[in-house]
Each structure stands twice: as C-alpha cells, then as structure tokens.
Amino acid sequence: YLSNVHCGWFQMGRLTVQNMNVLSFTCVFTLSSSPYDLLIITFVLVDWLLCNNRVEFTQLAADYKAVNLGQGFPDFSPPKFVQDAFCEAVRGGPQMQQYTRAFGHPHLVKSLAKFFSRIVGHEIDPFEDILVSVGAYQALFCAFQALVDEGDEVIIVEPFFDCYQPMVKMAGGTPVYIPLRPVSRAEGNSVLSSGDWVLCAEELASKFTPRTKAIVINTPNNPLGKVYKTEELQMIADLCIKHDVLCISDEVYEWLTYDGAKHVKIASLPGMWERTITISSAGKSFSATGWKVGWAISSGHIIKHLKTIHQNSVYHCATAAQEAVAHGFDREYEVFGSPQSYFQQLPAMLQHKRKKLAMCLDSVGLKPIMPEGGYFMVADISSLKVDLKDESSKDESYDFRFVKWLTKEKGLATIPVSAFYSPEHSKDFDKFIRFCFVKEDATLDAAADILRKWSSTK
Amino acid sequence: MASRHTHSKRIEGLDKNVWVAFTSVAADPTIVNLGQGFPDIPPPSYVKEALVKATSVDKLNQYTRGFGHPSLVKALSQVYGKVYGRTIDPFKEILVTVGGYGSLFSTMQGLVEVGDEVIIVEPFFDCYVPMVRMAGATPVLIPLRLKPGKKTGTSADWYLDPEELSSKFNSKTKAIIINTPNNPIGKIFTRDELQMIADLCIKHDTLCFSDEVYEWLIYRGHQHIKIATLPGMWDRTITIGSAGKTFSVTGWKLGWSIGPEHLVKHLQTVMQNTLYTCPTPLQEAVAQGLMRNYELMGQPECYFSSLAEELEVKRDRMASILQEAGMSPVIPEGGYFMLVDVTSLNQDLSHMGEDEAYDYKFVKWMIKEKKLAAIPVTAFVGDESKKEFEKYIRLCFIKQDSTLDAAEAILKNWRRV
C-alpha cells in the first residue's frame, strides 16, 4: 500500500480498482460482497492513480536506463543441469507436449515427496499431499480461495509480499496485520540484521479472534530477509494450535540462508503438519522464475480443497517444465548437503553478493539491514539528508519519493518498502528501500559505481 | 486433531468432474485411449525447437510481462488482426493465460458477479458450469436440439431453437457462453445462428464469451465465423483461443483472451491476483510458431490449415470404422471429437446398477470389456438434458494411425464376445 491514501466509503458491488504490486505499482482490489447484506466496503483510493503522471516503477527504471536492483529475479541463468533437463524434456516423447496429471506431473510429485519427506520428517504422499501450481503465486491463490470465506480473518505479518492482501480480499476475507518490529540493539553493536526484527508475543496473541482462519508467514521473508527461528515459529504454532487456525507458510526462498542461519519448516513442528500449507517455488530454487512451477504441500485433507480450486481455474500446469524440475530435484536429492548441490552453491554465491552490496550501501550512509535469507536487502534511508526536489510528488510517502529521486537522479532503481505494509502501518515504515542482490556481478559493480560517485560528492 | 475449519463455500460441490473419474482409468497403456482430448500426434518440430532455443536465452528463463510476453502478444495481434480484419492492441486487448481454461476462468472471475445468470449452450465443455458457480452466478442451460426428422448424421443437424433461446435472456443475464467449433458435438455455428445470438446480446445488453479453441480445425465446406466480428459485438465479446489446440501442444497450457480494453482489463486484474504471469520460454516459442504461420497464412504449408486437412482424413476413417461396427457417428464439421450414438448396439448394462446415466455405464463397460476409452456425453449437459444425450459417447480422433488401427481392430471384433 502506498502510504498517502484516502479512504472512501462505497456501497457494495464488485468494485475493481487496479491491483497493487511492487513491480508495476498500480493498485487493485477485487472485493466480493454478500448479496444479502448491504455492505459498506472500505475502498482505498490511491491519489496518484488520479494524477496524470501515474508512474510505473519498472517503467521509470527503463525510462531512466537505471541499474535495476528493484525487480526480484536473477539476471543470470538457471544452472545448466536444469536447462539441459528442460531441453531433454521438450525433445522427449510425444506425451511431453500434452496434458499431464492435473494435480502434478507424476515424476515431479514423486521427486518432491521423496525430497521433502526427508526434510519435514513426515512421509509425504505424492498424490494426496502435493498440488503443483503455476508458480508459488498460484499455490497461494488456491490456498486462499479454498480455505478463506467471507468474514474470515487472516493474520498477515508485515512487511508482506504484496499479493497476500488482495488475495485475502478476493476470497472475501479480512486481513489483520501485525508488523515485525526492530528491537533496540545493544550499545556499540551497529550492524543491523533482519534477525533484530521480531513479533511481539502479546501483540501477536491479541490478533487471534474466533474469526481467525489462518496466519500467513513468509520465511525467509521478502523484503526484510528475516529467517524465523524455531522459537519464533513455535510461538506462532502454539497460537495456531490453541485457536485452531491454519498456517500458510510461504517458503519460496527456503534455500537462501546466510551466515549459517537455518531455515525451519513450521510444518515440521508437532501438531502443525495437519494445519500448515507450505508453499515453494522451482523458480526461486533453480533461478528460473520464468518457468512458473510451484507447489503446495500439506495434509491430504487440506490439499484436496486446493485441488478443487486448481481444477476449476487452470487445471493443468505445463508438462515439460514440470519434468525438468523433477530432474532437478532428483539430482539435488542425490547431492543434498554436499558442495555439488545447487542449494548449497546458490546461497554461497549470493552470500558474497550480499556482502558486496552491503559495503557499498554503507559507504553512502544507506544503512543496510543484513538479511539472514532471501533475495533482498532493505536499507534505512532516514539518516540521509537529500533534497528530493520533486514538487509534484510531495504528498507521497517519503520512501516512494526517495526511490523516484534515486532512479532519476542517480540512475539506480529500487523498491520502496512501505509498499509492503498495510495502510495502517505504512507511515511508520516509510524510511526504507529494498534492493535485490541476486544479480550478476556486472550489475552490482554498476550499482557500486553509482554509489561510489554519489558518496564522493558528499 | 480434526480442525473445526472446513473449506470455503465457493468450492461446495465442485470437487468432482468427469476427468477426475476417467483420466486415471485411461492411463493404463493396454487401453486404446480415444477419451481425453489431446493429440498423440507430434506437434510441428519447429515449435519444439523454438522452445529448446528459448531456454538457452538467460532472460527467457525469468519473469516476463504479466499480461503476456511482448513478442507473443504482438504475434497474436498480427495473426488475429488479419483474421478479424481490425487492429488489435497487443497490450490492452489481449491477455495471455494458462490455456484456454485459464482464459475462461479469468473471464468468469473478472466479469461475472454474484447473482448473475450466464446462459450456457448444451452440450458444453464441462468446466463452464463449475466456473460460473464459483463466481457466484447461476448457469442457465439451453440444449442444442436435433432438427426434426433428422437422424443424427452430422453436427449440422443440431440447432438452437430461437424462441427457446430468447426465453433464456432476462435482466439478470450477464453473458452467454458459446463454443464454436463445439466440444463435444463438433458443430460450427453458422453466420445466421451467430447473428441470432448477437441480436439477443445487443437487445439485452449481454456479454458474449466465445470459446474458439478449435478455430483452425474446420473441415471442407465449412467456415469458422467469429461472433466478435458481427456488428455491435466487438465491444461485448471475449474470444478465447489456445496454443495447445492450435499447435497440438496441450501440455504447454497457453491460451489467450481477445476483446475490447474495457473488458480485457478486468481479466488482467484477475490474472494479476491469481498467478501473475505465464511461463516465459513457452510464450516465446508460441510467438515464433505464430509468426512463422502468419507468413504462410492462406498457403497449404500453413499449420492452421494443414492440421485440419490431416484431421479430416482421420475423421472420415473414424466415422466409417464406427459405422461398420453398427454405431451411428455424428460427423463433426469442426474440432477433433466425434459423438457416437450407441443405441443400435442394444448393449444391456442393467447389471451395472441404476444410479448412473447410460453413457457413463457404457463407457466404463467399454473400457473394461473392450479396452477402448471414450468420454460419456452426459458429462457435458445438465440434469434435464441427460435423457437426450445418454446414448452418446465422445471419441477423440486426433490420434496417430497406429492408435486408430488399434481402435479399428477392437471395433471390428465388437460383435464377437
């Protein structure tokens, strides 16, 4: 959400305003309403939508030929073994070009079941406990549509990947937000870490009501990079069990943890397998975001409902891509934990890039919050004194204005972090911007050049 | 352990469908599968090679534009601009989706409201009804009827009764869904029929969702007409197409919706909130396939027409095999399915219990006893029309010769126990 929003009150009906997402910055709701109630629906208007110069941040980056650390995807290729697997699949038998099993290509679901059973510590049934989807995005959609009803509340931890909110609303649910908050640090310890951002136990407990259907967590988190520790997940699990609530756990960055941080699956905690939907992504696991292969894993009694949404929305996913991902997981199963594993090599490569970016940001007074995991690094811009000049944007939130200024004046594209917050809280978090460091060294070097030049002019 | 939580209301009663029931059965390799509608003939090799090439380009393995990969929407705009005889804006008037199925879903979710009515012509591709219901609307069914005095010889014998159709429209009608060429009958709606539908849409200010995934599979003597090209219809029609059906690559799951910006933008909204973007390398490969054939349009090498020629031979062969076995095929004007009337076989299925329609029982019996799979046609109609269609089964003939040979062998031996 953009922070300078107006609230208007409108009568019920299906209103469609453009969708909000960080890549294109157009704002949308689709609100459904009961035919039997006259509902007054909160309708959030983004004032820049009404302005003549509505700006897409991606377009802005392109217009100014900015070095783009905004978009969240690699600018390098997937590992050769999966690319080769894709080519082999395409060149394979005629059935590779035709429909496969709707809920997941048999080879893929078997490979996933084998791979993840070992990690979750639970025997996963490939045909009952897994649904393959068009990216993790569609798995999230199936989960919300299958499980969230009109009037249900869904707790969303902020900052959140922006699609959770419109998806909850599209399912007729009410988002209930709880922000991660930075704890104050001990004196002399100046390195900020995503691990310093935590959920306050009482505040979290207070968000659970009799109407709470689910809580959505994302670990490692986009944009902050927080990797939830076992104790933190246990606190959430305890509340889920106490209130009989489902947990939707978005773990697309599960392999990307740094400095020895361990990714823990909340589904592996006692009592959680039967109430957790774990969502993952081949795109993020194999640096092939354009393949759009994802999956949801949960107990069969929950997956069957996601299957119903899936079979009534897209039904099948592309066969050859699934075959290629299956090969990828077969290989990773054999080399798991060893230096040949891509799931070891990728975080090792990114650890170095993360350090490089952090040093560059530090040099200009952009205070990075070291992410424990994920693709992104958030930097605190509050101590930078910059004249943002642009009069036309003066009603926008500070981070939005800063990002535009950084793109236009310095040729460096990023994403404003208040976009990942609810309207209620975005004003408290408008001094942060997000960088993606999953980029080739050449891109990071170009960014470093820009930052070096900037720091030399200060 | 059991949670007090159940599923959301929107999926109530939508969990079962004919594919869930039949596709796993037909996966048995000893069964000759003429059931589910996909080719076992290979797609053109240049399309496969285009995909292999695409995956070697770094950028093409990452996210592309959400509403459709630029080279694909531009290719679609070229091809369909020519077909429609109008300029189609690639960015505002086209949405790329996960198959024709995904287009249907985006259309229903984007344009149909709770409380609306949506008219559906029977027999219908079975997902229309659950999708309408999931959007909170009511399906209103109208069957294609056999022309009086006609034996079922061709799909052209089936028509929509004008008065009956007109009676289905009212102030709650949001849209009518048509499918031409039709699955399963293979009927191609004539210009007059489409005009009749168009007149009603205009009169009642209704939308039209036109599922035209089989648009290129038109047999000699027939012409596919796009209802969106009739006067007054562009602004109220969403037309759906499919790469899977166009290039014999159903496993690629790419389709598209074409229509006016003021409608397509809502489908784009749905896309943005459901899966965001379709796979990149697949879209690039389809774009190349389309552009190659765009250049060849009107020529015999163009796949859009050469596939239909290839299939017409198979259609005719299938029809004569069935006739020899004592069944009555309905020769389709388009598409790759054929309905077969099995009444004259007088197959006694009373031992199979009373609770299913005859065609379901027949297909199950045929799979078990004859090792030949088909699809029961009552899967494509509502309860009230079941009696009209329960003696028909659907066969898919986009199969290689060896498959048709195997089917022929079974059908030749039919009368032997």
Side-chain angles (χ1 to χ4, degrees):
Chain A
Y1 271 76
L2 306 183
S3 57
N4 57 324
V5 296
H6 303 304
C7 289
W9 293 88
F10 282 76
Q11 292 243 302
M12 81 153 192
R14 191 166 284 210
L15 299 170
T16 311
V17 181
Q18 287 234 290
N19 182 33
M20 169 63 173
N21 71 72
V22 295
L23 294 181
S24 70
F25 276 97
T26 50
C27 189
V28 170
F29 278 129
T30 307
L31 305 172
S32 58
S33 49
S34 157
Y36 303 112
D37 295 307
L38 202 65
L39 294 176
I40 309 292
I41 297 166
T42 304
F43 179 63
V44 180
L45 261 179
V46 177
D47 68 350
W48 59 259
L49 261 184
L50 307 176
C51 296
N52 292 333
N53 59 340
R54 184 180 84 191
V55 175
E56 278 191 339
F57 280 77
T58 322
Q59 189 58 53
L60 189 65
D63 289 346
Y64 285 86
K65 298 202 177 7
V67 173
N68 200 332
L69 299 190
Q71 300 162 307
F73 57 82
D75 64 3
F76 48 81
S77 67
K80 193 163 184 311
F81 68 86
V82 284
Q83 273 185 301
D84 287 347
F86 199 120
C87 294
E88 262 178 58
V90 175
R91 290 191 168 126
Q95 61 276 38
M96 279 293 126
Q97 314 303 336
Q98 309 306 333
Y99 294 129
T100 183
R101 177 178 169 270
F103 304 132
H105 185 53
H107 184 182
L108 178 56
V109 293
K110 286 178 194 163
S111 299
L112 290 173
K114 186 173 167 192
F115 191 95
F116 285 102
S117 290
R118 194 162 64 172
I119 297 178
V120 172
H122 179 104
E123 202 56 40
I124 299 172
D125 182 316
F127 300 110
E128 300 299 319
D129 299 343
I130 302 180
L131 173 67
V132 174
S133 54
V134 181
Y137 211 97
Q138 196 230 334
L140 286 163
F141 176 73
C142 288
F144 289 119
Q145 286 284 310
L147 302 167
V148 175
D149 246 327
E150 295 280 342
D152 283 345
E153 287 176 7
V154 178
I155 299 172
I156 298 176
V157 179
E158 302 180 290
F160 55 89
F161 178 54
D162 63 310
C163 82
Y164 304 158
Q165 181 261 9
M167 284 192 184
V168 166
K169 293 211 143 183
M170 197 166 151
T174 305
V176 171
Y177 303 99
I178 174 165
L180 289 162
R181 295 183 189 282
V183 293
S184 46
R185 315 208 82 234
E187 280 297 327
N189 193 348
S190 60
V191 174
L192 305 168
S193 158
S194 59
D196 299 327
W197 290 63
V198 299
L199 288 173
C200 163
E202 285 96 49
E203 193 182 4
L204 180 61
S206 76
K207 301 292 179 179
F208 283 76
T209 76
R211 286 170 304 286
T212 308
K213 188 62 170 275
I215 176 169
V216 187
I217 63 171
N218 174 215
T219 178
N221 168 276
N222 169 11
L224 210 44
K226 177 183 177 63
V227 173
Y228 287 67
K229 300 182 181 48
T230 307
E231 314 83 78
E232 293 174 302
L233 295 174
Q234 191 60 64
M235 173 176 77
I236 295 168
D238 290 342
L239 285 161
C240 286
I241 292 167
K242 175 178 174 183
H243 295 274
D244 194 15
V245 161
L246 301 169
C247 178
I248 297 172
S249 186
D250 176 351
E251 301 182 12
V252 296
Y253 302 106
E254 59 190 308
W255 306 114
L256 303 181
T257 56
Y258 313 114
D259 294 339
K262 291 245 173 313
H263 172 70
V264 178
K265 288 183 169 298
I266 195 170
S268 65
L269 301 184
M272 289 306 285
W273 164 256
E274 53 264 33
R275 61 179 67 252
T276 304
I277 300 101
T278 305
I279 289 171
S280 294
S281 156
K284 304 294 196 285
S285 298
F286 291 112
S287 307
T289 60
W291 291 14
K292 291 291 290 184
V293 175
W295 51 88
I297 297 181
S298 181
S299 164
H301 79 283
I302 292 180
I303 287 293
K304 75 178 184 198
H305 301 311
L306 276 69
K307 284 176 176 173
T308 302
I309 296 290
H310 182 76
Q311 84 195 39
N312 286 301
S313 57
V314 306
Y315 215 164
H316 300 83
C317 301
T319 311
Q322 293 188 66
E323 177 68 15
V325 173
H327 278 285
F329 272 97
D330 289 342
R331 181 216 190 250
E332 286 298 309
Y333 182 84
E334 297 306 324
V335 299
F336 189 67
S338 79
Q340 289 85 42
S341 161
Y342 187 69
F343 298 161
Q344 297 279 318
Q345 291 168 350
L346 182 60
M349 171 173 67
L350 295 185
Q351 170 118 11
H352 147 80
K353 292 177 192 286
R354 161 193 178 255
K355 180 174 172 189
K356 183 178 180 135
L357 181 64
M359 276 167 43
C360 293
L361 295 181
D362 248 329
S363 68
V364 293
L366 283 164
K367 299 223 272 298
I369 298 167
M370 286 305 268
E372 298 157 284
Y375 269 9
F376 306 105
M377 181 177 294
V378 169
D380 183 339
I381 55 177
S382 54
S383 57
L384 271 184
K385 297 286 172 272
V386 187
D387 174 11
L388 296 182
K389 292 188 193 118
D390 187 2
E391 275 307 300
S392 66
S393 68
K394 71 171 161 27
D395 292 328
E396 281 186 336
S397 63
Y398 184 80
D399 56 346
F400 274 69
R401 300 176 63 209
F402 186 90
V403 164
K404 283 185 192 170
W405 175 86
L406 195 63
T407 308
K408 289 182 190 173
E409 300 299 325
K410 298 295 171 191
L412 182 61
T414 58
I415 298 287
V417 169
S418 65
F420 299 86
Y421 280 87
S422 62
E424 295 94 284
H425 299 133
S426 57
K427 276 223 154 22
D428 302 333
F429 297 96
D430 66 348
K431 299 292 192 311
F432 300 94
I433 61 176
R434 184 194 84 171
F435 293 81
C436 176
F437 54 88
V438 184
K439 304 290 177 188
E440 282 192 324
D441 282 345
T443 314
L444 295 173
D445 287 338
D449 273 342
I450 290 169
L451 293 165
R452 204 173 303 124
K453 284 201 187 79
W454 182 13
S455 114
S456 69
T457 65
K458 286 153 128 280
Chain B
M1 172 285 263
S3 168
R4 65 183 163 87
H5 293 290
T6 57
H7 55 82
S8 61
K9 294 187 195 63
R10 67 181 58 82
I11 60 172
E12 193 59 52
L14 303 187
D15 52 327
K16 293 193 179 14
N17 69 32
V18 66
W19 315 110
V20 169
F22 285 97
T23 46
S24 53
V25 167
D28 177 345
T30 65
I31 293 174
V32 178
N33 193 351
L34 301 187
Q36 195 185 1
F38 60 83
D40 66 4
I41 60 175
S45 60
Y46 55 80
V47 149
K48 291 202 300 185
E49 285 311 309
L51 180 53
V52 169
K53 235 177 83 194
T55 54
S56 67
V57 178
D58 286 0
K59 272 201 173 60
L60 296 180
N61 289 296
Q62 308 303 336
Y63 293 131
T64 184
R65 176 176 171 269
F67 304 144
H69 187 51
S71 61
L72 177 55
V73 293
K74 285 178 193 162
L76 289 166
S77 154
Q78 298 258 64
V79 169
Y80 286 103
K82 190 166 179 174
V83 172
Y84 281 72
R86 69 178 291 139
T87 309
I88 298 176
D89 183 319
F91 301 110
K92 297 190 181 148
E93 295 177 328
I94 299 179
L95 172 68
V96 174
T97 55
V98 178
Y101 213 98
S103 270
L104 288 162
F105 182 72
S106 300
T107 301
M108 305 287 188
Q109 288 285 313
L111 301 173
V112 175
E113 306 249 21
V114 173
D116 282 347
E117 288 181 10
V118 177
I119 299 171
I120 298 175
V121 178
E122 297 176 298
F124 51 87
F125 180 53
D126 70 303
C127 79
Y128 300 164
V129 161
M131 283 191 184
V132 166
R133 287 174 53 198
M134 201 166 132
T138 306
V140 171
L141 305 179
I142 175 169
L144 285 166
R145 294 189 184 283
L146 206 45
K147 285 179 184 157
K150 286 270 188 185
K151 286 177 99 71
T152 57
T154 139
S155 58
D157 297 335
W158 298 76
Y159 78 112
L160 278 177
D161 181 294
E163 271 166 36
E164 194 182 5
L165 179 61
S166 177
S167 75
K168 303 291 181 180
F169 281 77
N170 61 49
S171 58
K172 291 204 223 137
T173 310
K174 188 49 144 310
I176 176 169
I177 306 177
I178 63 171
N179 175 214
T180 178
N182 167 276
N183 169 12
I185 292 188
K187 174 187 174 61
I188 295 178
F189 284 72
T190 64
R191 186 175 292 277
D192 288 342
E193 289 172 317
L194 294 173
Q195 190 60 63
M196 172 179 75
I197 294 168
D199 291 342
L200 285 162
C201 286
I202 292 167
K203 176 176 173 185
H204 294 274
D205 195 18
T206 299
L207 300 175
C208 180
F209 305 155
S210 187
D211 176 352
E212 301 181 16
V213 295
Y214 302 104
E215 61 187 305
W216 308 111
L217 302 184
I218 310 296
Y219 303 119
R220 262 173 312 172
H222 307 290
Q223 197 196 354
H224 173 69
I225 295 163
K226 289 184 168 299
I227 195 170
T229 57
L230 299 185
M233 289 307 285
W234 169 260
D235 285 321
R236 59 180 68 252
T237 306
I238 295 285
T239 307
I240 291 167
S242 158
K245 306 293 193 279
T246 299
F247 288 112
S248 309
V249 286
T250 59
W252 287 27
K253 287 293 294 191
L254 281 175
W256 42 83
S257 300
I258 296 180
E261 181 184 353
H262 69 271
L263 294 180
V264 169
K265 74 182 184 193
H266 299 307
L267 279 65
Q268 291 176 335
T269 299
V270 173
M271 184 69 177
Q272 206 158 355
N273 285 300
T274 52
L275 48 98
Y276 201 83
T277 178
C278 291
T280 316
L282 293 163
Q283 293 189 70
E284 177 63 30
V286 172
Q288 294 194 19
L290 286 170
M291 284 318 293
R292 182 193 174 113
N293 284 289
Y294 173 73
E295 302 300 332
L296 296 171
M297 272 170 96
Q299 294 170 47
E301 304 83 44
C302 179
Y303 194 70
F304 302 157
S305 43
S306 68
L307 179 61
E309 275 171 34
E310 190 184 338
L311 290 187
E312 187 162 343
V313 173
K314 295 178 191 284
R315 176 195 75 163
D316 294 343
R317 181 183 174 192
M318 188 85 247
S320 67
I321 295 170
L322 291 165
Q323 278 156 348
E324 278 166 31
M327 300 186 211
S328 311
V330 176
I331 316 285
E333 300 158 270
Y336 52 55
F337 301 108
M338 184 176 291
L339 284 203
V340 189
D341 184 343
V342 300
T343 313
S344 50
L345 293 178
N346 282 317
Q347 186 61 46
D348 177 14
L349 299 172
S350 47
H351 62 284
M352 290 182 71
E354 289 304 306
D355 55 345
E356 273 185 326
Y358 184 86
D359 55 345
Y360 269 75
K361 291 195 271 198
F362 186 93
V363 167
K364 286 181 180 168
W365 170 85
M366 188 171 74
I367 290 173
K368 186 161 174 239
E369 301 299 329
K370 301 291 180 188
K371 299 287 195 187
L372 179 63
I375 294 289
V377 173
T378 58
F380 301 90
V381 303
D383 289 338
E384 285 173 27
S385 297
K386 281 195 189 324
K387 276 269 166 290
E388 266 63 77
F389 289 93
E390 69 170 349
K391 288 293 170 53
Y392 293 96
I393 62 173
R394 185 195 82 170
L395 297 175
C396 173
F397 56 87
I398 185 167
K399 303 289 178 189
Q400 47 187 348
D401 287 342
S402 56
T403 311
L404 296 177
D405 291 342
E408 181 169 21
I410 291 170
L411 289 159
K412 270 204 161 89
N413 290 323
W414 192 277
R415 297 204 181 276
R416 297 181 208 156
V417 174

